[in-house]
Amino acid sequence: MKFGIVSDSSCDLSPQYTEQEQISIVSFYVSFDGEKYLKEGKDIAVTDFYQEMADNQGCYPKTSMPSVQDYIDAFLPLVKRGMPVLCICLTKKFSGSMQSAINAKEELMEDYPQAEIYVMDSQLVTAIQGLFVQEAVRLRNQGFSLEEAVKALERIRNTGHIFFTTKDLKYLEHGGRIGKAASLAGSVLNIKPLLQYYDGELGSTELCRGRKKSLLKVVDMFIEYLEKKKIDLEEYLLVTGIGLDVPEYKTFKDYLKEKLTEKGYPVKEWLQIQIGATIGIHTGPYPIGVGILKKAEI
């Protein structure tokens, strides 16, 4: 390997994968009482995080970014080995995680001036940040240098797009994404939000009546997007994501596969991830979605 890879936990890749591919994960912190903060994926499993919300109505956890010391602890073993480091962070529009990484780099450079650490704003979130990290791994495993990998990755950051929905509007209300009146009306009328993430931002919220309809509509919106943009899916990576595992996720995946086949897209399998706390605090326990990211080319 010509460089090591570090990412914050918002990439939502499985522990099995990150261990297998020797990716150092720097955890976000999550708190249910505003006082005790737990490391996501280490002190508290993501499933347990969601279960706590599901079991306690009115529970609105908070997240906190990784500290400078957290990043130093991740960088130092690689730096001591003389290994260049690529650090991939959650979009800086959502968090100060990247700034913590930059501060850690600057602090380490005082003691290790020869260290090579590149801190990268993925401009992405959750599942498509995960795809982005996987592309970094692929480039590293193929023997490319840090500089070559960075150039290739920079070209695909703006290709990430997510379509998703969730079961309850109250978390979006609590996070300031929608007003209280809209949230109340949604609860009464069984309205579900349809959301997109692209160009580094959450897009405007559309609404749909009923959970089943909202899940099917997410797939329809995704297919419409592929057709409108004339996207060749062979040039892209596909991912679906979920919070707490629920039966309707299978219905969602089956409908997605059916629509892809119907439209002639040659995709049979794709990455599946559990959406983590950095997005989960805004969606509640039941987000389900689909996303794509273009494959990197040297």
Side-chain angles (χ1 to χ4, degrees):
M1 295 191 302
K2 293 185 178 178
F3 61 92
I5 298 174
V6 175
S7 180
D8 53 34
S9 62
S10 63
C11 68
D12 296 339
L13 293 169
S14 72
Q16 294 80 10
Y17 176 81
T18 56
E19 183 177 341
Q20 171 190 314
E21 296 295 346
Q22 300 178 53
I23 305 165
S24 297
I25 296 296
V26 180
S27 292
F28 273 78
Y29 292 83
V30 60
S31 176
F32 293 97
D33 59 11
E35 296 180 7
K36 182 181 180 183
Y37 280 82
L38 306 170
K39 286 187 175 183
E40 176 188 18
K42 295 178 181 176
D43 298 332
I44 182 170
V46 176
T47 296
D48 294 338
F49 159 78
Y50 281 124
Q51 197 63 56
E52 184 76 17
M53 278 198 285
D55 293 342
N56 297 281
Q57 295 297 311
C59 173
Y60 299 105
K62 298 177 180 179
T63 57
S64 180
M65 65 189 182
S67 68
V68 173
Q69 188 60 51
D70 290 332
Y71 275 108
I72 289 175
D73 293 342
F75 294 159
L76 193 54
L78 294 165
V79 168
K80 284 183 174 179
R81 287 164 50 196
M83 179 79 71
V85 179
L86 173 59
C87 177
I88 297 171
C89 298
L90 170 68
T91 172
K92 63 184 180 183
K93 293 182 180 180
F94 277 27
S95 168
S97 177
M98 181 179 174
Q99 190 58 52
S100 288
I102 290 171
N103 293 345
K105 170 187 173 178
E106 291 173 352
E107 193 170 320
L108 269 178
M109 295 287 286
E110 293 180 9
D111 294 326
Y112 300 88
Q114 79 287 356
E116 187 179 357
I117 303 171
Y118 189 88
V119 178
M120 186 177 221
D121 180 358
S122 72
Q123 301 177 8
L124 302 167
V125 298
T126 186
I128 50 177
Q129 183 185 339
L131 293 179
F132 192 76
V133 173
Q134 286 197 338
E135 283 299 275
V137 168
R138 182 173 65 83
L139 295 170
R140 180 203 65 187
N141 291 354
Q142 289 178 355
F144 294 106
S145 68
L146 174 59
E147 183 180 2
E148 289 170 329
V150 166
K151 286 180 179 178
L153 292 167
E154 284 178 340
R155 290 194 289 268
I156 64 170
R157 286 186 295 191
N158 66 349
T159 67
H161 204 121
I162 298 175
F163 297 80
F164 69 105
T165 185
T166 188
K167 206 169 185 177
D168 201 319
L169 290 166
K170 65 183 181 180
Y171 298 96
L172 291 169
E173 177 207 334
H174 191 78
R177 294 297 305 174
I178 61 172
K180 189 170 185 177
S183 177
L184 180 60
S187 298
V188 173
L189 299 172
N190 194 25
I191 297 295
K192 309 301 178 189
L194 307 171
L195 304 107
Q196 297 182 52
Y197 177 89
Y198 57 96
D199 293 337
E201 300 281 359
L202 273 176
S204 59
T205 305
E206 297 180 46
L207 300 174
C208 180
R209 181 170 290 184
R211 174 70 162 171
K212 183 177 180 180
K213 284 184 179 179
S214 70
L215 291 170
L216 300 184
K217 181 62 176 175
V218 164
V219 172
D220 291 341
M221 290 169 62
F222 174 63
I223 298 295
E224 288 168 14
Y225 172 78
L226 297 181
E227 294 182 320
K228 181 180 178 181
K229 297 291 185 178
K230 296 181 170 57
I231 286 175
D232 180 357
L233 267 188
E234 291 190 336
E235 298 176 357
Y236 282 73
L237 299 166
L238 178 68
V239 62
T240 55
I242 187 172
L244 270 184
D245 197 6
V246 286
E248 58 257 42
Y249 182 48
K250 183 179 185 304
T251 303
F252 176 81
K253 290 186 294 180
D254 288 346
Y255 185 64
L256 174 61
K257 185 173 287 188
E258 176 189 322
K259 294 296 287 188
L260 288 170
T261 301
E262 180 184 309
K263 297 295 182 177
Y265 293 107
V267 180
K268 303 299 180 187
E269 297 180 352
W270 54 78
L271 177 67
Q272 298 182 48
I273 62 101
Q274 185 174 36
I275 299 164
T278 53
I279 293 297
I281 60 168
H282 301 292
T283 63
Y286 305 109
I288 292 179
V290 57
I292 55 168
L293 180 77
K294 195 167 188 178
K295 296 174 184 176
E297 295 178 355
I298 293 293

